[in-house]
Amino acid sequence: MAAHVIAGDAEALAVAAALAEEFRAGASARDTGRRLPHAEVAKLSASGLLAVTVPAEHGGADVGTLTLAEIFRLLASADASLAQIPQSHFVYVNVIRRQGTPDQRKFFFAEVLAGRRFGNAQSEAGTRHVQDIRTRLAPRPDGSYTLTGVKHYATGALFADWIPVLARADDDELHVAYVPRDAPGLTVIDDWDGMGQRTTASGTVRLDAVPVPADRVLPHHLTFRGPQLHGAVAQLLHAAIDTGIAGGALAEAAAFVRTRSRPWFESGAETAAEDPLLIQRFGELAVRVRASEALLREAARTVDTARAGLTDDSAAEASIAVATAKAHAAHTAVEVADALFDVAGTRSALDSLNLHRHWRDARTHTLHDPARWKIQHIGRYVLSGTRPPRHGLL
């Protein structure tokens, strides 16, 4: 596989904007028919966008966090499913950056620059809670391992070249094993039937004594032994997706009202776009979207500041800023996608128009990591200076 190598932030944003416009055209049809975006994901790889966080010393653009967030916002404004697919890719590139040995970094960063994709096999269903990971990484006499377990919500796995698997070793500590998509004993099942983000293929991964060489395993538990930005970056990308969904829904609502809606007869307006009550509502929604965008940018800058001087305090500031952006964006995405129907009118409910995909995507994606707990951590930080926990979800 050959992939373009992006030179810097400006080029990364230009490529993302161009791909977003291209992907927007077929987003509704892909959603309606649940046509998995294999060709579109391949274009993402070939464009070089999936390698933009590779460190400069390994030949990558090493773009700033603000640029990375904007890439996801742009993609999500066009197609929320497409934007969701590479979220775990960047999270697990970041794991290599933090916990990989020099040889592991050299190998995997070369893979990413060549266009290879990471998926994920992280979450499990039916356990006590989200961090109750039961997949086991068992040692073998030759120093290698075997992986056994079942993973759910494995977004990106079906499109991946490598599948990072979160598992516990004999010491019960968390590790990440990077497993080739075609490894013996590994099965990816396309059984995702979510009402939204229909084309992420976030199905099941089964691991039946999958062999893993020792040099493909990273000690993920060490990430949380000191100040870290792992959770902040992962959650920032989720916030960017929610913000993009809101912006995309608002833009489609405005286009619909300008071209297809009728004014309410009592308004006295010639067109729906001149109806003062609709103007008021669009203004309110625009304020919400702009606020989410501003909070996203602030959070990204706070992460970059923390990275330049990582301490317990700077990491806490980054986590709180990201939690704020995520909580606001989650509410905004659902509100705007729902309000689309209020402002657009009866015709917007036609199933053939598929405008409900924005609400379905927003409602599905915002179920990631409940905002109510983020608000709790923000409140404690403001009132007592209590730093948020280092569990990777903030």
mmCIF file of all heavy atoms in Angstrom, residues 131-149:
data_model
loop_
_atom_site.group_PDB
_atom_site.id
_atom_site.type_symbol
_atom_site.label_atom_id
_atom_site.label_comp_id
_atom_site.label_asym_id
_atom_site.label_seq_id
_atom_site.Cartn_x
_atom_site.Cartn_y
_atom_site.Cartn_z
ATOM 1 N N GLN A 131 -14.673 -0.898 32.406
ATOM 2 C CA GLN A 131 -13.259 -1.207 32.636
ATOM 3 C C GLN A 131 -13.035 -2.621 33.177
ATOM 4 O O GLN A 131 -11.920 -2.975 33.545
ATOM 5 C CB GLN A 131 -12.645 -0.168 33.570
ATOM 6 C CG GLN A 131 -12.566 1.216 32.919
ATOM 7 C CD GLN A 131 -11.580 2.129 33.610
ATOM 8 O OE1 GLN A 131 -11.494 2.151 34.831
ATOM 9 N NE2 GLN A 131 -10.839 2.885 32.832
ATOM 10 N N ASP A 132 -14.087 -3.408 33.197
ATOM 11 C CA ASP A 132 -13.965 -4.816 33.595
ATOM 12 C C ASP A 132 -13.576 -5.625 32.358
ATOM 13 O O ASP A 132 -14.415 -6.225 31.694
ATOM 14 C CB ASP A 132 -15.289 -5.295 34.193
ATOM 15 C CG ASP A 132 -15.234 -6.750 34.648
ATOM 16 O OD1 ASP A 132 -14.110 -7.284 34.798
ATOM 17 O OD2 ASP A 132 -16.297 -7.353 34.836
ATOM 18 N N ILE A 133 -12.293 -5.617 32.047
ATOM 19 C CA ILE A 133 -11.766 -6.275 30.850
ATOM 20 C C ILE A 133 -11.384 -7.711 31.201
ATOM 21 O O ILE A 133 -10.563 -7.954 32.100
ATOM 22 C CB ILE A 133 -10.534 -5.522 30.308
ATOM 23 C CG1 ILE A 133 -10.904 -4.066 29.975
ATOM 24 C CG2 ILE A 133 -9.962 -6.239 29.083
ATOM 25 C CD1 ILE A 133 -11.948 -3.908 28.910
ATOM 26 N N ARG A 134 -11.977 -8.662 30.484
ATOM 27 C CA ARG A 134 -11.752 -10.074 30.797
ATOM 28 C C ARG A 134 -10.965 -10.822 29.732
ATOM 29 O O ARG A 134 -10.623 -11.998 29.928
ATOM 30 C CB ARG A 134 -13.102 -10.753 31.046
ATOM 31 C CG ARG A 134 -13.844 -10.102 32.215
ATOM 32 C CD ARG A 134 -15.171 -10.748 32.527
ATOM 33 N NE ARG A 134 -15.870 -10.019 33.579
ATOM 34 C CZ ARG A 134 -17.045 -10.348 34.080
ATOM 35 N NH1 ARG A 134 -17.679 -11.422 33.598
ATOM 36 N NH2 ARG A 134 -17.605 -9.632 35.030
ATOM 37 N N THR A 135 -10.689 -10.200 28.620
ATOM 38 C CA THR A 135 -9.838 -10.824 27.605
ATOM 39 C C THR A 135 -8.447 -11.037 28.194
ATOM 40 O O THR A 135 -7.885 -10.137 28.839
ATOM 41 C CB THR A 135 -9.766 -9.926 26.356
ATOM 42 O OG1 THR A 135 -11.086 -9.813 25.811
ATOM 43 C CG2 THR A 135 -8.834 -10.501 25.320
ATOM 44 N N ARG A 136 -7.898 -12.228 27.965
ATOM 45 C CA ARG A 136 -6.645 -12.603 28.625
ATOM 46 C C ARG A 136 -5.499 -12.711 27.630
ATOM 47 O O ARG A 136 -5.639 -13.231 26.523
ATOM 48 C CB ARG A 136 -6.783 -13.940 29.360
ATOM 49 C CG ARG A 136 -7.918 -14.025 30.342
ATOM 50 C CD ARG A 136 -7.939 -12.917 31.367
ATOM 51 N NE ARG A 136 -6.763 -12.896 32.228
ATOM 52 C CZ ARG A 136 -6.644 -12.091 33.293
ATOM 53 N NH1 ARG A 136 -7.630 -11.254 33.608
ATOM 54 N NH2 ARG A 136 -5.541 -12.131 34.029
ATOM 55 N N LEU A 137 -4.356 -12.228 28.100
ATOM 56 C CA LEU A 137 -3.102 -12.320 27.367
ATOM 57 C C LEU A 137 -2.231 -13.315 28.132
ATOM 58 O O LEU A 137 -1.640 -12.983 29.165
ATOM 59 C CB LEU A 137 -2.444 -10.944 27.298
ATOM 60 C CG LEU A 137 -1.207 -10.761 26.431
ATOM 61 C CD1 LEU A 137 -1.546 -10.935 24.950
ATOM 62 C CD2 LEU A 137 -0.611 -9.382 26.675
ATOM 63 N N ALA A 138 -2.182 -14.534 27.626
ATOM 64 C CA ALA A 138 -1.519 -15.615 28.367
ATOM 65 C C ALA A 138 -0.116 -15.867 27.814
ATOM 66 O O ALA A 138 0.075 -15.973 26.593
ATOM 67 C CB ALA A 138 -2.335 -16.900 28.255
ATOM 68 N N PRO A 139 0.889 -15.961 28.697
ATOM 69 C CA PRO A 139 2.267 -16.189 28.229
ATOM 70 C C PRO A 139 2.471 -17.627 27.741
ATOM 71 O O PRO A 139 1.833 -18.560 28.218
ATOM 72 C CB PRO A 139 3.098 -15.910 29.477
ATOM 73 C CG PRO A 139 2.177 -16.219 30.620
ATOM 74 C CD PRO A 139 0.800 -15.835 30.159
ATOM 75 N N ARG A 140 3.392 -17.743 26.791
ATOM 76 C CA ARG A 140 3.798 -19.059 26.303
ATOM 77 C C ARG A 140 5.258 -19.291 26.669
ATOM 78 O O ARG A 140 6.007 -18.335 26.956
ATOM 79 C CB ARG A 140 3.601 -19.129 24.783
ATOM 80 C CG ARG A 140 2.161 -18.864 24.368
ATOM 81 C CD ARG A 140 2.029 -18.800 22.854
ATOM 82 N NE ARG A 140 2.206 -20.100 22.229
ATOM 83 C CZ ARG A 140 2.240 -20.294 20.917
ATOM 84 N NH1 ARG A 140 2.115 -19.262 20.093
ATOM 85 N NH2 ARG A 140 2.386 -21.498 20.423
ATOM 86 N N PRO A 141 5.714 -20.534 26.664
ATOM 87 C CA PRO A 141 7.098 -20.827 27.077
ATOM 88 C C PRO A 141 8.165 -20.084 26.277
ATOM 89 O O PRO A 141 9.234 -19.787 26.799
ATOM 90 C CB PRO A 141 7.204 -22.346 26.860
ATOM 91 C CG PRO A 141 5.805 -22.841 26.999
ATOM 92 C CD PRO A 141 4.940 -21.756 26.413
ATOM 93 N N ASP A 142 7.872 -19.766 25.010
ATOM 94 C CA ASP A 142 8.879 -19.094 24.180
ATOM 95 C C ASP A 142 8.886 -17.577 24.355
ATOM 96 O O ASP A 142 9.605 -16.864 23.652
ATOM 97 C CB ASP A 142 8.671 -19.444 22.705
ATOM 98 C CG ASP A 142 7.334 -18.948 22.159
ATOM 99 O OD1 ASP A 142 6.553 -18.343 22.931
ATOM 100 O OD2 ASP A 142 7.066 -19.176 20.960
ATOM 101 N N GLY A 143 8.076 -17.048 25.298
ATOM 102 C CA GLY A 143 8.043 -15.614 25.540
ATOM 103 C C GLY A 143 6.954 -14.882 24.797
ATOM 104 O O GLY A 143 6.728 -13.689 25.045
ATOM 105 N N SER A 144 6.293 -15.562 23.885
ATOM 106 C CA SER A 144 5.174 -14.957 23.174
ATOM 107 C C SER A 144 3.892 -15.129 23.995
ATOM 108 O O SER A 144 3.924 -15.602 25.135
ATOM 109 C CB SER A 144 5.019 -15.575 21.785
ATOM 110 O OG SER A 144 4.631 -16.944 21.881
ATOM 111 N N TYR A 145 2.763 -14.753 23.399
ATOM 112 C CA TYR A 145 1.494 -14.795 24.126
ATOM 113 C C TYR A 145 0.398 -15.386 23.235
ATOM 114 O O TYR A 145 0.552 -15.506 22.018
ATOM 115 C CB TYR A 145 1.055 -13.383 24.533
ATOM 116 C CG TYR A 145 2.013 -12.668 25.450
ATOM 117 C CD1 TYR A 145 3.051 -11.898 24.927
ATOM 118 C CD2 TYR A 145 1.874 -12.747 26.825
ATOM 119 C CE1 TYR A 145 3.936 -11.231 25.762
ATOM 120 C CE2 TYR A 145 2.753 -12.078 27.677
ATOM 121 C CZ TYR A 145 3.775 -11.326 27.137
ATOM 122 O OH TYR A 145 4.638 -10.661 27.967
ATOM 123 N N THR A 146 -0.735 -15.710 23.889
ATOM 124 C CA THR A 146 -1.970 -15.976 23.164
ATOM 125 C C THR A 146 -3.065 -15.097 23.749
ATOM 126 O O THR A 146 -3.088 -14.822 24.955
ATOM 127 C CB THR A 146 -2.402 -17.451 23.251
ATOM 128 O OG1 THR A 146 -2.575 -17.808 24.619
ATOM 129 C CG2 THR A 146 -1.391 -18.358 22.583
ATOM 130 N N LEU A 147 -3.971 -14.673 22.885
ATOM 131 C CA LEU A 147 -5.095 -13.818 23.262
ATOM 132 C C LEU A 147 -6.383 -14.602 23.170
ATOM 133 O O LEU A 147 -6.657 -15.248 22.143
ATOM 134 C CB LEU A 147 -5.200 -12.629 22.308
ATOM 135 C CG LEU A 147 -4.490 -11.333 22.637
ATOM 136 C CD1 LEU A 147 -4.626 -10.379 21.451
ATOM 137 C CD2 LEU A 147 -5.053 -10.697 23.892
ATOM 138 N N THR A 148 -7.196 -14.511 24.209
ATOM 139 C CA THR A 148 -8.489 -15.182 24.199
ATOM 140 C C THR A 148 -9.538 -14.255 24.806
ATOM 141 O O THR A 148 -9.344 -13.706 25.898
ATOM 142 C CB THR A 148 -8.452 -16.494 24.993
ATOM 143 O OG1 THR A 148 -7.462 -17.355 24.417
ATOM 144 C CG2 THR A 148 -9.798 -17.190 24.957
ATOM 145 N N GLY A 149 -10.656 -14.068 24.082
ATOM 146 C CA GLY A 149 -11.737 -13.233 24.591
ATOM 147 C C GLY A 149 -12.680 -12.834 23.479
ATOM 148 O O GLY A 149 -12.520 -13.233 22.320
#
